[in-house]
Amino acid sequence: MKTYFVTGGAGFIGSNFIIYMLNKHKDIKIINVDKLTYAGNLENLKEVENDPRYTFVQADIADKAAIEKIFSENGIDYVVNFAAESHVDRSISDPEIFVKTNVEGTVNMLQCAKNAWMTGDDQYKSGVKYLQVSTDEVYGSLGETGYFTETTPLDPHSPYSSSKAAADMFVKAFGDTYKLPVNITRCSNNYGPYQFPEKLIPLIMNNTLSHKDLPVYGDGMQVRDWLYVEDHCKAIDMVIDSGRPGEVYNVGGHNEKPNIFIVKSIINYIRENVDSEVGEHLIKHVTDRKGHDRRYGIDPEKIKRELGWFPETCFEEGIKKTLKWYLENPDWMNNIVNGDYMKYYEKMYSAKKEI
Ligand code: NAD
Ligand code: DAU
């Protein structure tokens, strides 16, 4: 029976990961520690909340006493650190909390894991591992060709990606200095159920359904490499199980698409399946994001070669599954939209100008 200490499990990827793991492995326990910021939503975990293998604790990953208590009261085998402030636009307007959670929180998690697991100088309880869920954004921006490999120099541009890169450096330092068994995964853009509507796909879906403007930053030709969230969860499971300690693994599925293609695909799906009145007239090109990275593209060869990982869901299938999920779960979205989210959205977009 292995015990996983999952942080940020009430967010988008963390909740998908918990559900994926409890469905896949009979003999595991998961402790989900989440601060429940605006992005944390326990509704995401309804289907597992009564599972005896699952426990929820509300706490901040930067809170030393709270995190030490979880280690001391549970025989933790693995840490999977998802908890983060994750939205680039928010990091541009409010960078400090990104340092607090993404950098200081990660260092606190590392320090508590080291102290709990250390059995002697450079010796640790057998089989333990700390996995840091990082992002392709730490590598910066690509030109029209080429891909990020694990040896691409880090060149973050936004306060968000800089905080994730700083956290990665601390994870590396704990591996190099204290020999803590660590892995880092750097994944491309995820999409799927339970993604907070500040992010491109659910935002465009939501606005299209209510005939609102669809804000496309700049020319909309920025490229992201989209991966269905379950394929990311599978990669993390494999890296925990058999990733070589100290190694970084890039995760991505060569599904590179310009933003405008994503926006038009969503409009077409809704026009064909829900509402014949929506169309491209809703698109509004608006002020670009400051420091906007032009293109991300992951080379996933290492995780494929070493661990046998491959993405199972192609974009065409994944986007249909995702949009269908949002349409079949309107209450999930309505609960968020009827809360503080709209205030954030209105403030954010009133500051943008049509171009
Ligand atoms: P999210 O914003 O949906 O969820 C973040 C979760 O962390 C929320 O539940 C929030 O309540 C929790 N949290 C925030 N601050 C906390 C703190 N101080 N202590 C405890 N919990 C806290 O984010 P996501 O999109 O699910 O991303 C999860 C992780 O994956 C992040 O580390 C992100 O950098 C990384 N990542 C995301 C993507 C993507 O496309 N979404 C891609 C690659 C990597
Ligand atoms: O690449 C992985 C990263 O993907 C993760 O590390 C981040 O946590 C996650 O938020 C995501 O970052 P992006 O900035 O790429 O995602 P976002 O959904 O915010 O934006 C996707 C693209 O769409 C980006 O080029 C900006 C653009 N965009 C976004 C919004 C919200 C628009 O054109 N209009 C919008 O309204």
Side-chain angles (χ1 to χ4, degrees):
M1 172 74 87
K2 297 287 187 188
T3 300
Y4 292 71
F5 183 164
V6 173
T7 71
F12 163 47
I13 308 174
S15 58
N16 276 282
F17 178 75
I18 290 171
I19 294 166
Y20 174 86
M21 292 295 282
L22 290 173
N23 283 333
K24 177 147 187 240
H25 303 282
K26 293 259 160 313
D27 211 16
I28 61 170
K29 274 191 353 198
I30 295 183
I31 300 161
N32 172 21
V33 174
D34 198 296
K35 185 179 170 186
L36 297 182
T37 67
Y38 76 92
N41 185 353
L42 290 177
E43 268 192 60
N44 301 4
L45 294 154
K46 269 220 158 353
E47 73 178 87
V48 298
E49 68 185 2
N50 295 320
D51 189 318
R53 299 170 298 162
Y54 168 77
T55 310
F56 173 70
V57 179
Q58 183 170 4
D60 185 333
I61 58 163
D63 179 340
K64 191 164 187 282
I67 301 302
E68 275 177 348
K69 186 165 184 282
I70 289 157
F71 273 103
S72 71
E73 289 177 354
N74 303 276
I76 304 292
D77 297 291
Y78 306 125
V79 169
V80 188
N81 188 30
F82 289 100
E85 288 292 334
S86 69
H87 193 39
V88 175
D89 291 331
R90 289 188 193 245
S91 82
I92 294 167
S93 49
D94 187 14
E96 288 90 348
I97 185 67
F98 286 73
V99 179
K100 183 83 196 151
T101 288
N102 300 3
V103 187
E104 291 179 26
T106 297
V107 175
N108 186 48
M109 289 299 299
L110 287 161
Q111 183 72 349
C112 291
K114 172 173 84 65
N115 292 343
W117 287 340
M118 198 174 248
T119 54
D121 196 22
D122 292 349
Q123 300 293 314
Y124 291 90
K125 183 182 154 188
S126 149
V128 295
K129 185 177 275 183
Y130 177 102
L131 189 143
Q132 177 75 2
V133 182
S134 186
T135 167
D136 59 358
E137 298 205 10
V138 298
Y139 296 122
S141 186
L142 291 164
E144 284 185 7
T145 58
Y147 296 99
F148 299 132
T149 70
E150 290 78 0
T151 56
T152 301
L154 303 195
D155 183 22
H157 297 126
S158 71
Y160 162 70
S161 54
S162 301
S163 69
K164 293 295 287 186
D168 284 10
M169 292 296 97
F170 275 100
V171 176
K172 180 178 178 307
F174 272 67
D176 292 347
T177 306
Y178 308 112
K179 311 300 172 212
L180 185 72
V182 295
N183 280 128
I184 297 173
T185 53
R186 295 192 180 130
C187 189
S188 59
N189 283 62
N190 284 214
Y191 66 102
Y194 304 121
Q195 187 166 30
F196 196 79
E198 65 191 351
K199 306 286 165 57
L200 183 70
I201 289 179
L203 185 151
I204 295 297
M205 161 99 193
N206 207 25
N207 283 17
T208 308
L209 285 172
S210 40
H211 293 207
K212 279 192 170 160
D213 290 353
L214 307 179
V216 171
Y217 297 170
D219 65 2
M221 290 307 291
Q222 305 84 0
V223 171
R224 298 292 181 266
D225 178 0
W226 295 92
L227 186 74
Y228 191 62
V229 63
E230 214 170 87
D231 281 321
H232 187 189
C233 297
K234 181 174 83 166
I236 291 171
D237 185 22
M238 290 173 113
V239 173
I240 294 168
D241 189 64
S242 29
R244 286 182 293 129
E247 293 294 313
V248 174
Y249 292 91
N250 282 355
V251 186
H254 284 306
N255 268 309
E256 287 182 42
K257 313 280 179 208
N259 293 338
I260 193 73
F261 169 88
I262 301 286
V263 172
K264 289 182 179 174
S265 305
I266 297 171
I267 297 171
N268 288 340
Y269 183 90
I270 295 178
R271 188 172 46 225
E272 282 163 21
N273 295 284
V274 187
D275 179 353
S276 59
E277 287 185 8
V278 305
E280 291 179 14
H281 61 278
L282 293 170
I283 295 175
K284 294 279 178 292
H285 287 270
V286 297
T287 327
D288 207 350
R289 177 183 276 174
K290 286 182 194 294
H292 201 169
D293 288 336
R294 193 68 180 167
R295 176 177 162 246
Y296 301 145
I298 280 281
D299 176 353
E301 262 325 293
K302 180 174 171 182
I303 190 167
K304 285 184 165 177
R305 188 181 64 250
E306 288 192 15
L307 308 183
W309 176 85
F310 61 93
E312 287 177 38
T313 305
C314 68
F315 183 77
E316 291 65 28
E317 184 195 340
I319 190 75
K320 280 188 198 145
K321 263 164 79 167
T322 302
L323 298 179
K324 201 162 172 280
W325 184 87
Y326 284 111
L327 289 169
E328 286 170 356
N329 293 278
D331 289 349
W332 184 88
M333 186 63 88
N334 289 339
N335 287 346
I336 293 174
V337 170
N338 295 334
D340 285 345
Y341 170 71
M342 275 328 281
K343 269 189 240 147
Y344 160 80
Y345 179 81
E346 301 298 351
K347 189 170 163 223
M348 180 83 188
Y349 289 101
S350 62
K352 298 239 173 231
K353 301 227 173 345
E354 192 170 348
I355 53 170

